[in-house]
Amino acid sequence: MEVCGTHTVSIFRSGIRSVLPATVSLLSGPGCPVCVTDQAEIDAFIELAKQPGVIVTTFGDLMRVPGSASSLQRERADGRDIRIVYSTLDALSLAQKNPGRPVVFLGVGFETTAPTIAAAILSAAGMKLENFSVISAHKTVPQALEALMTLDDVRIDGFILPGHVSVIIGLNAYRPFFERHRIPCVVAGFEPADILNAVASMVEQIESGKTAPREWLPAGGQRTGQCQSAADAGRGV
C-alpha cells in the first residue's frame, strides 16, 4: 500500500499498475490531508466560522468537504467570512490588515504541512499579532499506519512510505510501528522509478523473509521541521 496521495497520483499517471505482475497489487491509502480530516473536525471548523467577527482561512481543498449538516463552501455562501488562502503567509497578512478581528487558519494534513504552519505561528509571535491563531487537526503518518493495521479484513503485505514526510521525521519515527508488526516498509520518492524500486524491495523482503525498513535519509529526520512542529504543539494551537 502506498499511504501518500502523491504516490497514488504518480502511479496512475505513469501506468505502473499495468506493468506489475498479477501477484503484486497496489492499494491506495488515506494519504491526502482532506482524506484524514474526519467529520467531527469539519463540524468544528464550521462552528468556528459561525462565531461573530471571525475570519476563517483555509486551503481550497477543504471547502467542499461535507460535515454532518453543512460545508465550509455552503457557510461562505450564507455569508460567513471564510477565505481561501494559498499559504499561511496569506493568513498572516489578513491578520495584519484586520487587527480588530480574530483570524484563524485551519491546519490539516501530515508532517509536511505542520512545519510551515508552525513557522507562521512563530512569525505571528514575532510580529506580536495577537489576533492570529491556528486550529490544528494534523495527523502523523505512523499513527495512520497503526490505524490501517487494526482494520478487519484488510491484508497489507507492505507499505510504501512518503519520501517528503520521511525527510522531516526520519526513519526512527517508524521503528516502533515496524517492531510491532514486522511488515516491509520502504521510503520512496515520487518518480515512477522510485516507486518501482520500492515495490521491488518489498517483494525481495517478503520472498527472503528478511524484513527491514529501507530508506535514503537520516534516521533522525530533519531537525528544523521537527523543532517548528514542536513549537506548534508547545503553543497549544
Side-chain angles (χ1 to χ4, degrees):
M1 172 180 281
E2 81 278 1
V3 297
C4 179
T6 308
H7 277 142
T8 302
V9 170
S10 181
I11 288 167
F12 273 99
R13 286 181 174 173
S14 60
I16 284 177
R17 283 187 173 89
S18 66
V19 301
L20 295 177
T23 53
V24 177
S25 177
L26 291 179
L27 303 175
S28 296
C32 72
V34 169
C35 296
V36 297
T37 304
D38 63 41
Q39 192 172 77
E41 290 165 337
I42 298 297
D43 287 343
F45 298 160
I46 290 169
E47 286 303 312
L48 177 66
K50 293 179 179 179
Q51 303 308 305
V54 172
I55 300 174
V56 169
T57 58
T58 178
F59 295 137
D61 51 4
L62 273 180
M63 292 296 291
R64 296 185 180 183
V65 181
S68 57
S70 186
S71 67
L72 292 171
Q73 186 177 53
R74 184 180 302 172
E75 292 301 320
R76 185 169 71 168
D78 289 342
R80 315 296 183 190
D81 198 345
I82 303 170
R83 309 191 192 188
I84 296 174
V85 296
Y86 297 98
S87 75
T88 51
L89 296 179
D90 295 338
L92 283 176
S93 178
L94 279 172
Q96 287 179 299
K97 294 174 182 176
N98 297 272
R101 299 179 63 185
V103 175
V104 184
F105 181 81
L106 306 182
V108 300
F110 288 99
E111 293 91 338
T112 46
T113 59
T116 58
I117 295 172
I121 295 168
L122 293 175
S123 296
M127 295 186 288
K128 302 188 184 305
L129 281 177
E130 297 184 356
N131 65 323
F132 176 78
S133 60
V134 172
I135 179 169
S136 177
H138 291 94
K139 310 295 188 297
T140 68
V141 169
Q143 288 176 324
L145 298 177
E146 287 286 359
L148 287 166
M149 293 300 291
T150 65
L151 296 177
D152 295 330
D153 301 322
V154 173
R155 180 185 174 187
I156 302 173
D157 298 308
F159 286 103
I160 300 175
L161 304 175
H164 52 359
V165 167
S166 302
V167 165
I168 294 173
I169 67 175
L171 188 65
N172 287 341
Y174 301 110
R175 288 196 185 279
F177 169 81
F178 176 77
E179 294 299 330
R180 272 191 295 275
H181 301 286
R182 306 303 295 182
I183 186 170
C185 298
V186 183
V187 174
F190 302 105
E191 294 299 321
D194 299 326
I195 297 169
L196 287 171
N197 280 331
V199 172
S201 177
M202 281 192 292
V203 170
E204 176 188 341
Q205 291 181 61
I206 293 169
E207 290 183 344
S208 67
K210 298 177 181 180
T211 58
R214 305 286 179 86
E215 44 81 39
W216 41 262
L217 55 126
Q222 210 281 329
R223 296 299 301 167
T224 301
Q226 291 174 21
C227 289
Q228 287 182 340
S229 297
D232 185 329
R235 291 173 185 270
V237 298

